[in-house]
Amino acid sequence: MKKSTQPQTQPQPQSQPQPEAQPNPTQDQASQIDPNLAMAATKIVELTNDLQRTRADFENFRKQVDLQKSQAMNVAKNATVMKFLPLIDDISRAIGAYPEQLQPLEKSFHKTLESLGLQIINSAPGVEFNPDFHDAVSIDDDEGNVEIITETLRPGYIYDGAVIRAAMVRVGHADKASAK
């Protein structure tokens, strides 16, 4: 056997077909794509800001409606209590006129007032006059440097921490030492 004298060549790897190159977009096409994307991004930002403002406005509106609702409820409660004050005055006068017979009613009456949050303003004779809680109908011309209540003409009431009707009183003067 003869050896062949021809040099052996190594097989050449076959080249794979190259995919056809996409044509590069021209300058005009690129300028059309980028402004459209920029406009879309700007529009998204604007719409997002509008949505956030709308949400904030709605939240503020909801809070305002809740506040108005609670204020309306307080006004309605105060108006209802104000309508009952003459009846409460009548019951108080009846208890004052017949204390022995109406003693059980008096306890129940005061418990009910307390449970409703209605407090009677202290306007007993000898208490120092306070214009925030008392309306003076007359003032005696006595000598003294402190104004004190001499008589209660109509009781006053505090409801939910606010004066809904001041006590109508007569006022006199006294020295500081005798007022206490």
Side-chain angles (χ1 to χ4, degrees):
M1 291 214 194
K2 256 185 174 184
K3 286 188 180 183
S4 99
T5 58
Q6 288 186 340
Q8 287 186 358
T9 59
Q10 293 193 9
Q12 295 285 339
Q14 291 187 356
S15 64
Q16 301 220 351
Q18 296 288 331
E20 289 185 26
Q22 295 288 338
N24 290 333
T26 63
Q27 190 67 13
D28 291 335
Q29 289 173 337
S31 65
Q32 286 178 354
I33 292 172
D34 289 342
N36 289 339
L37 288 176
M39 284 176 45
T42 304
K43 189 69 172 174
I44 288 172
V45 168
E46 287 176 14
L47 291 174
T48 303
N49 290 339
D50 287 346
L51 177 63
Q52 289 172 344
R53 274 191 297 276
T54 303
R55 281 183 180 168
D57 288 344
F58 177 74
E59 191 63 29
N60 290 337
F61 174 74
R62 187 186 61 74
K63 288 177 184 177
Q64 184 179 11
V65 167
D66 289 345
L67 177 65
Q68 288 174 348
K69 189 189 321 182
S70 72
Q71 288 174 341
M73 287 175 58
N74 286 338
V75 167
K77 286 186 337 186
N78 286 346
T80 302
V81 170
M82 288 291 291
K83 295 241 184 215
F84 277 102
L85 288 182
L87 178 62
I88 292 170
D89 291 340
D90 291 342
I91 293 172
S92 294
R93 280 192 291 275
I95 291 171
Y98 304 102
E100 292 176 20
Q101 294 87 350
L102 298 177
Q103 186 180 16
L105 175 65
E106 182 179 18
K107 289 178 184 176
S108 173
F109 177 66
H110 288 294
K111 276 186 180 180
T112 302
L113 291 180
E114 285 179 25
S115 71
L116 293 173
L118 193 64
Q119 299 172 336
I120 298 173
I121 294 174
N122 184 7
S123 59
V127 171
E128 190 172 337
F129 175 75
N130 183 344
D132 294 333
F133 299 111
H134 308 112
D135 281 338
V137 205
S138 68
I139 299 176
D140 297 334
D141 290 333
D142 298 338
E143 292 297 319
N145 32 342
V146 178
E147 295 176 331
I148 61 166
I149 297 171
T150 57
E151 182 183 2
T152 301
L153 303 172
R154 184 184 72 192
Y157 295 95
I158 297 174
Y159 181 65
D160 282 342
V163 175
I164 60 170
R165 184 175 80 184
M168 188 183 303
V169 296
R170 286 199 175 118
V171 177
H173 289 86
D175 292 330
K176 268 200 183 230
S178 64
K180 291 183 180 182

